[in-house]
Amino acid sequence: MSVIDQLASSLNFRGTEPNKILARRIAETNDAAAVKELVSHLASKPVQSDCIKVLYETADINPMLILGYARDFIRLLDSKNNRMQWGAMTALDYITVGNEAVIYNSLGKICSIAEKGSVITKDHYAGILIKLCKLAEYAPDAFTLFIDLLRSCPSNQMPMYAEQALPVIDHENKAKFIKVLQERLPEVEKDAKKKRIEKILKKL
């Protein structure tokens, strides 16, 4: 049976469970042929949403299997379909490690899409930037973009981004990081989220 025949839409299944099961099988069996077939159908409207779902779910489990398709996902960011856009950003987040140079060289486009994108798009953009911050050659630009994101993101997303960034905060960038958190802290309405930021500030 073709991998396309196993997608939720092909099975007339309401929901995404078949796609998750398929992604797990592809990831666990290193089924490169299935991945290639899914990528080839990303422009096919009847199944494209299922294809991107299976691909990023596979990347979450076995990123090595998807590494070679970074440029395909970068091109997909131009999609007018919001689901395809955030799905592509999700996949890029999961395969940043191993594709640092390709993704770094496309940061202008990735940033532009994230600025106008959904919360999920921004969440995975943050993940991409934090991963790039772990490499010295990309860290300065990636951290600058991350600070810009931290300044402009919805206040309820800020605690999560700040917590995720802690491993890349050092003596060189700590002051900028603290300054943004202190400036935006009054905007955070929920006590639980405010406490998370206060905890980070105290730790630093």
Side-chain angles (χ1 to χ4, degrees):
M1 183 187 291
S2 163
V3 68
I4 300 303
D5 294 333
Q6 299 174 59
L7 298 172
S9 57
S10 299
L11 297 170
N12 294 315
F13 188 92
R14 297 175 73 88
T16 63
E17 194 58 32
N19 295 334
K20 294 178 182 178
I21 294 170
L22 180 59
R24 195 176 307 117
R25 181 189 65 75
I26 292 171
E28 291 174 352
T29 60
N30 287 300
D31 193 343
V35 170
K36 185 176 182 179
E37 186 175 358
L38 289 165
V39 171
S40 73
H41 282 79
L42 284 173
S44 177
K45 290 187 177 181
V47 296
Q48 63 180 180
S49 292
D50 286 322
C51 287
I52 191 65
K53 170 70 174 176
V54 176
L55 286 166
Y56 72 67
E57 291 281 357
T58 302
D60 188 27
I61 302 167
N62 185 355
M64 291 296 294
L65 196 56
I66 316 293
L67 279 185
Y69 297 98
R71 288 183 174 86
D72 294 278
F73 296 126
I74 290 168
R75 284 193 292 271
L76 199 58
L77 292 173
D78 291 322
S79 175
K80 303 299 183 187
N81 183 330
N82 184 53
R83 180 175 176 79
M84 299 304 290
Q85 192 180 90
W86 64 251
M89 194 72 82
T90 303
L92 288 169
D93 180 12
Y94 293 155
I95 63 171
T96 295
V97 177
N99 274 304
E100 292 91 348
V102 172
I103 290 175
Y104 175 79
N105 289 330
S106 299
L107 270 183
K109 177 178 182 176
I110 292 170
C111 173
S112 176
I113 296 298
E115 285 178 351
K116 299 173 286 188
S118 66
V119 170
I120 297 175
T121 303
K122 287 180 169 63
D123 287 351
H124 289 286
Y125 174 55
I128 289 169
L129 294 177
I130 290 166
K131 290 178 179 71
L132 290 178
C133 283
K134 294 178 181 179
L135 294 178
E137 61 265 49
Y138 307 128
D141 291 335
F143 189 76
T144 296
L145 290 173
F146 178 76
I147 288 296
D148 289 343
L149 175 64
L150 207 58
R151 283 197 182 101
S152 61
C153 69
S155 59
N156 64 336
Q157 299 302 107
M158 190 172 54
M160 180 176 72
Y161 297 168
E163 288 165 350
Q164 291 173 343
L166 275 175
V168 301
I169 302 303
D170 55 31
H171 68 281
E172 293 183 5
N173 59 30
K174 183 167 70 172
K176 290 181 180 178
F177 184 66
I178 290 173
K179 184 172 184 289
V180 174
L181 293 183
Q182 289 175 333
E183 287 174 349
R184 296 208 63 193
L185 184 59
E187 299 174 33
V188 182
E189 296 179 354
K190 293 183 179 179
D191 287 340
K193 297 202 174 210
K194 186 167 287 192
K195 286 177 182 178
R196 285 164 65 185
I197 295 176
E198 289 171 342
K199 184 177 178 181
I200 292 169
L201 289 168
K202 186 176 180 180
K203 186 174 182 178
L204 293 172

